[in-house]
Amino acid sequence: MPPLAHACDLRGRAEFATIVNGCPALPAKHTLTSYVHSHAITECFWPIYSFGKMLPPHLNHEVEALYERVRALFAPTSRRSIGSLQAYFRKYENRERWLATWARTVSPTTKRQRRMWQIGWNGSIPSGKIGAADLLPYLADLLADEEQKSRLIAFVESQVTVTRALFAFRDSFQGPKAVIYDPSHIFSSQTVNEYDLFHLVRNYHLSPPLTRRQFLDRCTETELTADFYFQLIAQRETGLVLEFVYATELDVEDFEKRRCQCPVGLSGLRLQVRDRGGDVIAGGLDHAIVSAIEAHPLLLLIVPPDSVGLMINKLRGTSLWAHRMTVRFPNGTLDEGYKVLVGTAAFHAHAELLGHFLMKDRLREDAIIL
Protein backbone atom coordinates (compact mmCIF):
# COMPACT_ATOMS: atom_id res chain seq x y z
CA MET A 1 0.00 0.00 0.00
CA PRO A 2 1.41 3.50 -0.86
CA PRO A 3 2.77 5.48 2.11
CA LEU A 4 0.07 8.15 1.69
CA ALA A 5 -2.58 5.57 2.45
CA HIS A 6 -1.28 5.49 6.04
CA ALA A 7 -1.05 9.26 6.46
CA CYS A 8 -4.33 9.43 8.34
CA ASP A 9 -2.80 7.25 11.09
CA LEU A 10 0.15 9.57 11.69
CA ARG A 11 0.34 12.62 13.91
CA GLY A 12 2.13 15.86 13.36
CA ARG A 13 2.71 18.03 10.32
CA ALA A 14 6.43 17.31 10.21
CA GLU A 15 5.84 13.56 10.02
CA PHE A 16 3.23 14.02 7.28
CA ALA A 17 5.51 16.38 5.32
CA THR A 18 8.33 13.83 5.47
CA ILE A 19 6.12 11.18 3.87
CA VAL A 20 4.82 13.55 1.20
CA ASN A 21 8.33 14.71 0.30
CA GLY A 22 9.44 11.10 0.04
CA CYS A 23 6.83 10.23 -2.59
CA PRO A 24 7.91 10.49 -6.23
CA ALA A 25 4.45 11.85 -7.09
CA LEU A 26 1.10 12.48 -5.46
CA PRO A 27 -1.79 10.21 -6.47
CA ALA A 28 -3.19 11.17 -9.86
CA LYS A 29 -6.44 13.10 -9.90
CA HIS A 30 -9.21 12.03 -12.22
CA THR A 31 -9.04 14.55 -15.06
CA LEU A 32 -12.25 13.70 -17.00
CA THR A 33 -10.40 13.98 -20.29
CA SER A 34 -13.13 12.21 -22.26
CA TYR A 35 -15.06 15.48 -22.43
CA VAL A 36 -12.25 17.15 -24.37
CA HIS A 37 -12.45 14.48 -27.08
CA SER A 38 -16.25 14.59 -27.41
CA HIS A 39 -18.38 17.61 -26.46
CA ALA A 40 -15.54 20.15 -26.25
CA ILE A 41 -15.19 20.40 -30.03
CA THR A 42 -18.78 21.57 -30.28
CA GLU A 43 -18.38 24.09 -27.45
CA CYS A 44 -15.15 25.47 -28.88
CA PHE A 45 -16.74 26.04 -32.27
CA TRP A 46 -19.26 28.58 -30.92
CA PRO A 47 -16.81 31.56 -30.84
CA ILE A 48 -15.47 30.48 -34.25
CA TYR A 49 -19.01 30.42 -35.61
CA SER A 50 -19.84 33.83 -34.11
CA PHE A 51 -16.60 35.33 -35.42
CA GLY A 52 -17.15 33.84 -38.88
CA LYS A 53 -20.53 35.56 -39.26
CA MET A 54 -18.79 38.94 -39.03
CA LEU A 55 -16.32 38.17 -41.83
CA PRO A 56 -16.95 38.71 -45.55
CA PRO A 57 -17.57 35.54 -47.60
CA HIS A 58 -14.15 35.61 -49.27
CA LEU A 59 -12.53 34.95 -45.87
CA ASN A 60 -14.48 31.77 -45.15
CA HIS A 61 -11.36 29.74 -45.78
CA GLU A 62 -9.74 31.43 -42.76
CA VAL A 63 -12.60 30.24 -40.55
CA GLU A 64 -12.27 26.72 -41.93
CA ALA A 65 -8.52 26.72 -41.29
CA LEU A 66 -9.06 27.89 -37.70
CA TYR A 67 -11.62 25.14 -37.11
CA GLU A 68 -9.26 22.47 -38.45
CA ARG A 69 -6.55 23.65 -36.04
CA VAL A 70 -8.94 23.43 -33.09
CA ARG A 71 -10.22 20.01 -34.18
CA ALA A 72 -6.67 18.70 -34.56
CA LEU A 73 -5.91 19.87 -31.03
CA PHE A 74 -9.04 18.71 -29.18
CA ALA A 75 -10.49 15.88 -31.23
CA PRO A 76 -8.21 14.71 -34.06
CA THR A 77 -10.36 11.63 -34.64
CA SER A 78 -13.64 13.57 -34.77
CA ARG A 79 -15.63 13.44 -37.99
CA ARG A 80 -17.57 16.61 -37.20
CA SER A 81 -17.28 18.88 -40.23
CA ILE A 82 -17.41 22.65 -40.09
CA GLY A 83 -20.61 22.52 -42.14
CA SER A 84 -22.39 20.26 -39.66
CA LEU A 85 -21.40 22.48 -36.73
CA GLN A 86 -22.51 25.62 -38.56
CA ALA A 87 -25.89 23.99 -39.20
CA TYR A 88 -26.09 22.96 -35.53
CA PHE A 89 -25.64 26.50 -34.27
CA ARG A 90 -27.88 28.04 -36.92
CA LYS A 91 -30.61 25.72 -35.70
CA TYR A 92 -29.90 26.80 -32.12
CA GLU A 93 -30.24 30.49 -33.03
CA ASN A 94 -33.45 29.86 -34.96
CA ARG A 95 -34.94 27.98 -32.01
CA GLU A 96 -34.08 30.80 -29.62
CA ARG A 97 -35.74 33.35 -31.91
CA TRP A 98 -38.78 31.12 -32.26
CA LEU A 99 -39.16 30.74 -28.51
CA ALA A 100 -38.83 34.50 -28.00
CA THR A 101 -41.49 35.42 -30.55
CA TRP A 102 -43.72 33.11 -32.52
CA ALA A 103 -44.05 30.31 -29.95
CA ARG A 104 -45.80 32.67 -27.54
CA THR A 105 -48.29 34.03 -30.08
CA VAL A 106 -49.85 30.96 -31.75
CA SER A 107 -53.35 30.28 -30.47
CA PRO A 108 -56.56 28.68 -31.81
CA THR A 109 -58.13 31.90 -33.03
CA THR A 110 -60.76 30.62 -35.45
CA LYS A 111 -63.33 27.87 -35.61
CA ARG A 112 -61.80 26.81 -38.92
CA GLN A 113 -58.45 26.15 -37.22
CA ARG A 114 -60.01 24.09 -34.47
CA ARG A 115 -62.16 22.16 -36.95
CA MET A 116 -59.18 21.40 -39.21
CA TRP A 117 -57.37 19.96 -36.21
CA GLN A 118 -60.34 17.82 -35.20
CA ILE A 119 -60.78 16.21 -38.64
CA GLY A 120 -57.12 15.27 -38.77
CA TRP A 121 -56.21 17.38 -41.76
CA ASN A 122 -57.83 15.01 -44.29
CA GLY A 123 -56.83 16.28 -47.69
CA SER A 124 -55.23 19.45 -46.32
CA ILE A 125 -51.59 18.41 -46.31
CA PRO A 126 -49.92 17.52 -49.63
CA SER A 127 -49.82 13.80 -50.33
CA GLY A 128 -46.62 11.81 -50.71
CA LYS A 129 -43.44 12.38 -48.75
CA ILE A 130 -43.83 15.35 -46.41
CA GLY A 131 -40.86 17.52 -45.48
CA ALA A 132 -40.50 20.38 -43.02
CA ALA A 133 -40.99 22.98 -45.75
CA ASP A 134 -44.30 21.36 -46.76
CA LEU A 135 -45.67 21.80 -43.25
CA LEU A 136 -44.70 25.43 -42.72
CA PRO A 137 -47.90 26.92 -44.27
CA TYR A 138 -49.98 24.70 -41.98
CA LEU A 139 -47.95 25.07 -38.78
CA ALA A 140 -50.14 27.71 -37.15
CA ASP A 141 -53.24 25.56 -37.68
CA LEU A 142 -51.50 22.41 -36.49
CA LEU A 143 -50.56 24.20 -33.29
CA ALA A 144 -54.07 25.48 -32.70
CA ASP A 145 -54.36 22.59 -30.26
CA GLU A 146 -52.90 23.80 -26.97
CA GLU A 147 -51.54 20.38 -26.01
CA GLN A 148 -49.65 20.06 -29.29
CA LYS A 149 -48.35 23.60 -28.93
CA SER A 150 -47.13 22.93 -25.38
CA ARG A 151 -45.34 19.75 -26.46
CA LEU A 152 -43.56 21.54 -29.30
CA ILE A 153 -42.49 24.43 -27.06
CA ALA A 154 -41.21 21.95 -24.44
CA PHE A 155 -39.20 20.11 -27.12
CA VAL A 156 -37.62 23.29 -28.51
CA GLU A 157 -36.84 24.54 -24.98
CA SER A 158 -35.14 21.22 -24.21
CA GLN A 159 -32.91 21.49 -27.28
CA VAL A 160 -31.99 25.10 -26.53
CA THR A 161 -31.19 24.17 -22.91
CA VAL A 162 -28.75 21.46 -24.01
CA THR A 163 -26.93 23.71 -26.48
CA ARG A 164 -26.80 26.75 -24.22
CA ALA A 165 -25.26 24.69 -21.41
CA LEU A 166 -22.27 23.88 -23.60
CA PHE A 167 -21.26 27.54 -23.47
CA ALA A 168 -20.72 27.33 -19.71
CA PHE A 169 -18.79 24.06 -19.50
CA ARG A 170 -15.87 25.72 -17.69
CA ASP A 171 -18.11 26.59 -14.73
CA SER A 172 -17.64 24.36 -11.73
CA PHE A 173 -21.35 24.63 -10.95
CA GLN A 174 -23.34 21.43 -11.41
CA GLY A 175 -26.71 23.05 -11.83
CA PRO A 176 -28.30 26.41 -12.62
CA LYS A 177 -26.62 29.45 -11.11
CA ALA A 178 -28.26 31.66 -8.51
CA VAL A 179 -27.35 35.19 -7.50
CA ILE A 180 -27.67 35.76 -3.75
CA TYR A 181 -27.83 38.86 -1.57
CA ASP A 182 -25.92 38.12 1.63
CA PRO A 183 -25.76 41.28 3.77
CA SER A 184 -24.73 39.31 6.88
CA HIS A 185 -21.89 37.60 4.97
CA ILE A 186 -23.07 34.13 5.96
CA PHE A 187 -21.97 32.56 2.68
CA SER A 188 -18.83 34.57 1.96
CA SER A 189 -17.21 37.96 2.49
CA GLN A 190 -19.06 39.26 -0.59
CA THR A 191 -22.44 40.95 -0.15
CA VAL A 192 -23.55 39.74 -3.58
CA ASN A 193 -22.38 36.44 -4.98
CA GLU A 194 -23.33 33.74 -7.46
CA TYR A 195 -23.18 30.01 -6.88
CA ASP A 196 -24.69 26.66 -7.74
CA LEU A 197 -28.43 26.70 -7.03
CA PHE A 198 -28.67 23.21 -5.58
CA HIS A 199 -25.71 23.72 -3.24
CA LEU A 200 -27.48 26.79 -1.87
CA VAL A 201 -30.82 24.99 -1.54
CA ARG A 202 -29.18 22.10 0.32
CA ASN A 203 -27.23 24.18 2.79
CA TYR A 204 -29.01 27.51 3.32
CA HIS A 205 -32.41 29.00 4.10
CA LEU A 206 -33.35 31.25 1.19
CA SER A 207 -36.02 33.82 0.50
CA PRO A 208 -38.73 33.00 -2.06
CA PRO A 209 -37.32 33.39 -5.60
CA LEU A 210 -37.04 36.97 -6.85
CA THR A 211 -37.08 38.29 -10.37
CA ARG A 212 -34.02 40.24 -11.40
CA ARG A 213 -36.01 43.47 -11.16
CA GLN A 214 -37.19 42.61 -7.66
CA PHE A 215 -33.63 41.72 -6.65
CA LEU A 216 -32.30 45.06 -7.89
CA ASP A 217 -35.10 47.02 -6.23
CA ARG A 218 -35.20 45.22 -2.87
CA CYS A 219 -31.60 44.11 -2.41
CA THR A 220 -28.82 45.85 -4.31
CA GLU A 221 -27.46 46.70 -7.74
CA THR A 222 -25.29 44.06 -9.41
CA GLU A 223 -23.99 43.12 -12.82
CA LEU A 224 -24.18 39.42 -11.98
CA THR A 225 -26.90 37.55 -13.83
CA ALA A 226 -28.36 34.09 -13.32
CA ASP A 227 -31.52 32.04 -13.69
CA PHE A 228 -32.49 32.54 -10.03
CA TYR A 229 -32.19 35.34 -7.46
CA PHE A 230 -32.53 35.05 -3.67
CA GLN A 231 -31.73 36.73 -0.40
CA LEU A 232 -29.77 34.39 1.85
CA ILE A 233 -31.44 34.10 5.27
CA ALA A 234 -29.37 31.64 7.32
CA GLN A 235 -27.26 28.49 7.11
CA ARG A 236 -29.02 25.19 7.77
CA GLU A 237 -27.88 23.24 10.79
CA THR A 238 -27.95 20.04 8.73
CA GLY A 239 -27.65 19.88 4.95
CA LEU A 240 -30.58 18.47 2.99
CA VAL A 241 -30.52 15.43 0.71
CA LEU A 242 -32.16 16.49 -2.55
CA GLU A 243 -34.16 14.25 -4.85
CA PHE A 244 -35.87 14.91 -8.16
CA VAL A 245 -39.29 13.49 -8.93
CA TYR A 246 -40.42 13.33 -12.55
CA ALA A 247 -43.74 12.18 -13.97
CA THR A 248 -43.34 10.91 -17.52
CA GLU A 249 -45.93 10.15 -20.18
CA LEU A 250 -43.66 7.39 -21.54
CA ASP A 251 -43.44 3.76 -20.51
CA VAL A 252 -40.16 2.45 -19.04
CA GLU A 253 -38.64 1.33 -22.35
CA ASP A 254 -39.42 4.56 -24.21
CA PHE A 255 -38.37 6.71 -21.25
CA GLU A 256 -34.95 5.11 -21.06
CA LYS A 257 -34.57 5.27 -24.84
CA ARG A 258 -35.58 8.93 -25.20
CA ARG A 259 -34.68 10.54 -21.87
CA CYS A 260 -31.71 8.56 -20.50
CA GLN A 261 -28.07 8.00 -21.43
CA CYS A 262 -27.48 11.37 -23.12
CA PRO A 263 -27.81 15.00 -21.95
CA VAL A 264 -31.40 16.26 -22.18
CA GLY A 265 -33.19 19.45 -21.24
CA LEU A 266 -36.33 18.84 -19.17
CA SER A 267 -38.76 20.94 -17.18
CA GLY A 268 -41.38 19.62 -14.80
CA LEU A 269 -38.95 18.15 -12.26
CA ARG A 270 -40.23 18.48 -8.71
CA LEU A 271 -37.63 18.80 -6.00
CA GLN A 272 -38.14 17.07 -2.66
CA VAL A 273 -35.85 16.40 0.30
CA ARG A 274 -35.09 13.39 2.45
CA ASP A 275 -33.50 13.11 5.86
CA ARG A 276 -30.25 11.23 6.42
CA GLY A 277 -32.24 8.07 7.05
CA GLY A 278 -33.85 8.26 3.60
CA ASP A 279 -37.36 9.37 4.63
CA VAL A 280 -39.09 12.12 2.63
CA ILE A 281 -39.48 15.36 4.60
CA ALA A 282 -42.91 16.83 3.83
CA GLY A 283 -42.68 20.59 3.36
CA GLY A 284 -38.90 20.47 3.60
CA LEU A 285 -38.53 23.17 0.95
CA ASP A 286 -40.32 26.45 0.34
CA HIS A 287 -43.14 25.79 -2.14
CA ALA A 288 -42.17 28.86 -4.19
CA ILE A 289 -38.66 27.47 -4.69
CA VAL A 290 -40.02 24.05 -5.69
CA SER A 291 -42.43 25.65 -8.19
CA ALA A 292 -39.74 27.89 -9.71
CA ILE A 293 -37.39 24.96 -10.25
CA GLU A 294 -40.21 22.82 -11.65
CA ALA A 295 -40.97 25.46 -14.30
CA HIS A 296 -37.32 25.92 -15.29
CA PRO A 297 -35.74 23.66 -17.96
CA LEU A 298 -32.76 21.80 -16.51
CA LEU A 299 -29.86 20.12 -18.28
CA LEU A 300 -29.71 16.51 -17.08
CA LEU A 301 -28.03 13.19 -17.62
CA ILE A 302 -30.44 10.55 -16.32
CA VAL A 303 -28.74 7.26 -15.52
CA PRO A 304 -31.06 4.21 -15.47
CA PRO A 305 -30.91 1.81 -12.51
CA ASP A 306 -28.95 -0.91 -14.34
CA SER A 307 -26.13 1.56 -15.13
CA VAL A 308 -25.83 3.21 -11.71
CA GLY A 309 -23.15 0.83 -10.42
CA LEU A 310 -20.91 1.43 -13.40
CA MET A 311 -21.51 5.19 -13.15
CA ILE A 312 -20.31 5.16 -9.52
CA ASN A 313 -17.13 3.31 -10.51
CA LYS A 314 -16.45 5.58 -13.49
CA LEU A 315 -16.91 8.81 -11.54
CA ARG A 316 -15.12 7.71 -8.36
CA GLY A 317 -12.39 10.21 -7.54
CA THR A 318 -14.02 13.05 -9.49
CA SER A 319 -15.85 16.14 -8.28
CA LEU A 320 -19.06 14.98 -9.97
CA TRP A 321 -21.97 13.69 -7.94
CA ALA A 322 -25.42 12.37 -8.81
CA HIS A 323 -28.75 13.13 -7.17
CA ARG A 324 -31.46 10.61 -6.46
CA MET A 325 -34.33 10.54 -8.92
CA THR A 326 -37.76 8.94 -8.71
CA VAL A 327 -39.69 8.45 -11.94
CA ARG A 328 -43.46 8.06 -11.98
CA PHE A 329 -44.74 6.12 -15.00
CA PRO A 330 -48.21 6.33 -16.60
CA ASN A 331 -49.34 3.04 -15.04
CA GLY A 332 -48.78 4.52 -11.58
CA THR A 333 -45.56 2.67 -10.74
CA LEU A 334 -42.63 4.49 -9.12
CA ASP A 335 -38.98 3.64 -9.67
CA GLU A 336 -36.57 5.20 -7.16
CA GLY A 337 -33.47 3.65 -8.70
CA TYR A 338 -32.54 6.39 -11.17
CA LYS A 339 -29.70 8.86 -10.68
CA VAL A 340 -29.34 12.25 -12.31
CA LEU A 341 -26.41 14.61 -12.90
CA VAL A 342 -27.35 18.25 -13.41
CA GLY A 343 -25.80 21.10 -15.37
CA THR A 344 -22.37 20.86 -16.92
CA ALA A 345 -21.77 17.66 -14.93
CA ALA A 346 -24.16 16.01 -17.39
CA PHE A 347 -21.72 16.56 -20.28
CA HIS A 348 -18.64 15.47 -18.33
CA ALA A 349 -20.33 12.32 -17.02
CA HIS A 350 -21.81 11.47 -20.43
CA ALA A 351 -18.37 11.60 -22.04
CA GLU A 352 -17.05 9.15 -19.44
CA LEU A 353 -20.03 6.79 -19.80
CA LEU A 354 -20.52 7.04 -23.57
CA GLY A 355 -18.74 3.76 -24.35
CA HIS A 356 -20.90 1.89 -21.85
CA PHE A 357 -24.11 3.41 -23.23
CA LEU A 358 -23.17 2.55 -26.83
CA MET A 359 -22.35 -1.04 -25.88
CA LYS A 360 -25.60 -1.33 -23.94
CA ASP A 361 -27.62 -0.16 -26.94
CA ARG A 362 -25.72 -2.51 -29.25
CA LEU A 363 -26.43 -5.49 -27.01
CA ARG A 364 -30.10 -4.52 -26.86
CA GLU A 365 -30.31 -4.35 -30.66
CA ASP A 366 -28.52 -7.71 -31.04
CA ALA A 367 -30.70 -9.49 -28.49
CA ILE A 368 -32.41 -12.62 -29.78
CA ILE A 369 -36.17 -12.27 -29.99
CA LEU A 370 -37.95 -15.51 -29.03
Side-chain angles (χ1 to χ4, degrees), residues 182-251:
D182 181 22
S184 300
H185 297 167
I186 300 169
F187 178 74
S188 73
S189 60
Q190 301 295 319
T191 302
V192 181
N193 214 323
E194 62 178 350
Y195 209 72
D196 178 90
L197 170 68
F198 297 120
H199 173 86
L200 295 171
V201 170
R202 284 197 310 270
N203 296 290
Y204 297 89
H205 294 281
L206 306 171
S207 71
L210 304 170
T211 65
R212 178 168 176 78
R213 185 70 265 166
Q214 290 172 333
F215 186 89
L216 298 177
D217 291 342
R218 302 177 188 179
C219 300
T220 186
E221 293 289 331
T222 181
E223 295 183 358
L224 296 177
T225 59
D227 298 306
F228 296 88
Y229 297 83
F230 300 97
Q231 179 171 346
L232 194 148
I233 308 300
Q235 186 169 4
R236 295 183 183 274
E237 292 184 5
T238 303
L240 301 175
V241 178
L242 302 183
E243 177 182 17
F244 292 95
V245 180
Y246 183 68
T248 178
E249 76 284 4
L250 305 172
D251 60 27

Side-chain angles (χ1 to χ4, degrees), residues 62-304:
E62 298 286 352
V63 177
E64 294 178 7
L66 178 58
Y67 167 69
E68 286 302 323
R69 291 181 65 183
V70 171
R71 187 185 65 80
L73 176 64
F74 285 103
T77 61
S78 173
R79 297 182 180 180
R80 296 295 299 270
S81 67
I82 186 172
S84 68
L85 288 169
Q86 286 171 331
Y88 177 83
F89 284 113
R90 280 196 296 268
K91 186 179 292 185
Y92 163 73
E93 292 177 324
N94 289 336
R95 285 167 168 165
E96 278 211 317
R97 283 193 292 268
W98 186 85
L99 285 174
T101 55
W102 192 82
R104 307 303 177 188
T105 62
V106 178
S107 60
T109 55
T110 68
K111 290 183 179 179
R112 172 179 171 272
Q113 287 176 332
R114 290 191 292 271
R115 179 58 181 158
M116 290 180 74
W117 175 260
Q118 292 168 357
I119 64 177
W121 292 85
N122 292 333
S124 300
I125 294 178
S127 59
K129 186 176 181 180
I130 300 172
D134 299 318
L135 291 176
L136 283 176
Y138 305 93
L139 191 56
D141 289 333
L142 281 166
L143 296 180
D145 179 80
E146 286 298 318
E147 183 179 352
Q148 285 294 109
K149 175 185 171 182
S150 297
R151 287 181 179 180
L152 178 59
I153 291 175
F155 169 77
V156 177
E157 283 181 336
S158 72
Q159 300 304 300
V160 168
T161 297
V162 172
T163 304
R164 187 184 293 140
L166 274 171
F167 307 154
F169 88 103
R170 293 182 185 89
D171 287 343
S172 60
F173 306 138
Q174 296 184 26
K177 289 190 297 184
V179 172
I180 54 171
Y181 176 56
D182 181 22
S184 300
H185 297 167
I186 300 169
F187 178 74
S188 73
S189 60
Q190 301 295 319
T191 302
V192 181
N193 214 323
E194 62 178 350
Y195 209 72
D196 178 90
L197 170 68
F198 297 120
H199 173 86
L200 295 171
V201 170
R202 284 197 310 270
N203 296 290
Y204 297 89
H205 294 281
L206 306 171
S207 71
L210 304 170
T211 65
R212 178 168 176 78
R213 185 70 265 166
Q214 290 172 333
F215 186 89
L216 298 177
D217 291 342
R218 302 177 188 179
C219 300
T220 186
E221 293 289 331
T222 181
E223 295 183 358
L224 296 177
T225 59
D227 298 306
F228 296 88
Y229 297 83
F230 300 97
Q231 179 171 346
L232 194 148
I233 308 300
Q235 186 169 4
R236 295 183 183 274
E237 292 184 5
T238 303
L240 301 175
V241 178
L242 302 183
E243 177 182 17
F244 292 95
V245 180
Y246 183 68
T248 178
E249 76 284 4
L250 305 172
D251 60 27
V252 175
E253 183 177 355
D254 284 342
F255 176 76
E256 296 194 357
K257 181 178 180 180
R258 296 167 59 179
R259 298 283 189 267
C260 300
Q261 303 186 167
C262 66
V264 295
L266 289 180
S267 56
L269 286 103
R270 182 171 58 84
L271 198 62
Q272 68 180 18
V273 295
R274 294 178 181 263
D275 60 26
R276 296 298 177 180
D279 295 325
V280 175
I281 304 174
L285 286 177
D286 186 297
H287 178 70
I289 294 178
V290 174
S291 297
I293 293 174
E294 190 171 9
H296 186 80
L298 298 175
L299 175 69
L300 310 167
L301 176 66
I302 303 173
V303 180

Side-chain angles (χ1 to χ4, degrees), residues 256 305 325-329 333-338:
E256 296 194 357
M325 184 176 188
T326 294
V327 180
R328 178 180 292 108
F329 293 99
T333 61
L334 294 174
D335 193 325
E336 300 180 349
Y338 291 87

Side-chain angles (χ1 to χ4, degrees), residues 304-317:
D306 61 357
S307 297
V308 168
L310 184 134
M311 176 207 71
I312 293 172
N313 288 331
K314 281 281 189 179
L315 301 184
R316 182 175 286 115

Side-chain angles (χ1 to χ4, degrees), residues 1-12 15-17 19-20 23:
M1 182 176 293
L4 281 178
H6 298 287
C8 59
D9 297 326
L10 300 173
R11 297 180 180 180
E15 205 168 357
F16 180 73
I19 291 177
V20 171
C23 291

